[in-house]
Amino acid sequence: MACCLVFIACTPVSKEDYLSKFSEFIYDVSIEYSQYTAEDWSRQNKKFTKFSDEWYSLYEKELSFSEKLKILNLSFKWYFYQGLGEVESTLDSLDVDQFKEEIKYYIDNNMMQDLTDLCDSAVELGEELRNEGIESIDGIEIEK
């Protein structure tokens, strides 16, 4: 873990360094998330904020469309592992019968609306990505 602290303490020196360190950070989270305490998550949240806000803004203008998609993918992974950590923490302290009742209530009352909202958001994101792709298609270089 000490290596990780040194790794994060240094601002990336280039776009490539930023992408590499962000990928490495998400990889480390994917391996260790299930052992994180609340304090660990707090530290990791601060690191993620550096990657997703502070350092992203340093290199945003240099990033290609493809690299922005990679960052979006890394961010999705972050939220996925963060969510899994919260679910595992909740399950450890949950009464199973109460949990069953809450799931049944959710299915009966809220699930369909949440699924509809999720589908609408996915369609909207797809349209935004398509539009962004169409706008940047002229800038894509094809390697042979």
Side-chain angles (χ1 to χ4, degrees), residues 32-108:
E32 301 169 5
Y33 78 92
S34 63
Q35 284 86 40
Y36 287 166
T37 64
E39 187 178 309
D40 292 331
W41 277 115
S42 178
R43 276 193 307 272
Q44 298 301 65
N45 276 322
K46 289 175 185 169
K47 293 173 189 176
F48 177 73
T49 299
K50 282 203 171 283
F51 281 111
S52 63
D53 294 338
E54 181 182 333
W55 294 339
Y56 178 81
S57 66
L58 291 175
Y59 301 105
E60 180 177 13
K61 291 179 182 174
E62 297 176 41
L63 295 166
S64 68
F65 179 71
S66 168
E67 290 166 330
K68 288 179 180 179
L69 287 178
K70 179 178 180 175
I71 292 167
L72 182 62
N73 182 27
L74 292 170
S75 295
F76 282 146
K77 287 179 181 181
W78 163 260
Y79 290 114
F80 174 77
Y81 290 115
Q82 185 184 43
L84 282 180
E86 290 175 12
V87 166
E88 287 182 6
S89 172
T90 301
L91 289 177
D92 288 344
S93 63
L94 193 65
D95 175 351
V96 174
D97 292 330
Q98 176 188 354
F99 186 58
K100 287 179 186 177
E101 288 300 315
E102 289 176 9
I103 290 175
K104 183 176 178 350
Y105 178 85
Y106 174 73
I107 290 170
D108 293 341

